[in-house]
Amino acid sequence: QVQLVESGGGLVQAGGSLRLSCAASGGASWTSTMGWFRQAPGKEREFVSAISRSGSSTVYADSVKGRFTMSIDNAKNTVYLQMNSLKPVDTAVYYCAAAPSTLPVSSRQYIYWGQGTQVTVSS
């Protein structure tokens, strides 16, 4: 059983930065992609970014391109999301997830999910 645990969320002013972490345990060898999604109150879950397990490829939602950067440290079984130039619209619960396919952007392709970490950006 794969377990994912997010951390690093918090309250930050607009223009500030946060780094989220996702620690994986009980790893499945079939996992090809790690992703980040977010969900604001009253809204559907939204794709943020994804990275191949090797770290060689990444993909980002248009809304975060140029501001967010995803990385992976396989030695620590941890993925990161560096968030810069944060905006109030980035406020949401951020979820880490794992998928067996190559860089999917649909939440339906992700099998394992963390419990989420809250990010709040004030103006």
Side-chain angles (χ1 to χ4, degrees), residues 6-71:
E6 303 95 336
S7 62
L11 175 64
V12 65
Q13 291 184 323
S17 299
L18 285 173
R19 189 177 77 157
L20 305 184
S21 299
C22 174
S25 61
S29 61
W30 53 261
T31 299
S32 296
T33 301
M34 298 297 297
W36 287 98
F37 289 77
R38 65 187 183 186
Q39 188 166 24
K43 296 184 178 180
E44 63 184 359
R45 192 162 296 187
E46 174 189 22
F47 172 78
V48 175
S49 66
I51 190 168
S52 60
R53 197 167 71 173
S54 68
S56 62
S57 300
T58 55
V59 62
Y60 299 92
D62 288 341
S63 59
V64 306
K65 285 182 180 178
R67 300 189 298 121
F68 292 9
T69 303
M70 192 173 180
S71 60

Side-chain angles (χ1 to χ4, degrees), residues 2-8 20-25 31 33-39 45-51 70-73 77-81 92-99 106-107 109-119:
V2 175
Q3 296 182 5
L4 305 174
V5 180
E6 303 95 336
S7 62
L20 305 184
S21 299
C22 174
S25 61
T31 299
T33 301
M34 298 297 297
W36 287 98
F37 289 77
R38 65 187 183 186
Q39 188 166 24
R45 192 162 296 187
E46 174 189 22
F47 172 78
V48 175
S49 66
I51 190 168
M70 192 173 180
S71 60
I72 188 168
D73 186 340
N77 293 318
T78 302
V79 296
Y80 304 93
L81 184 66
V93 176
Y94 283 71
Y95 297 91
C96 178
S106 171
S107 62
Q109 300 301 311
Y110 290 81
I111 296 176
Y112 296 101
W113 294 83
Q115 291 298 305
T117 185
Q118 177 71 48
V119 172

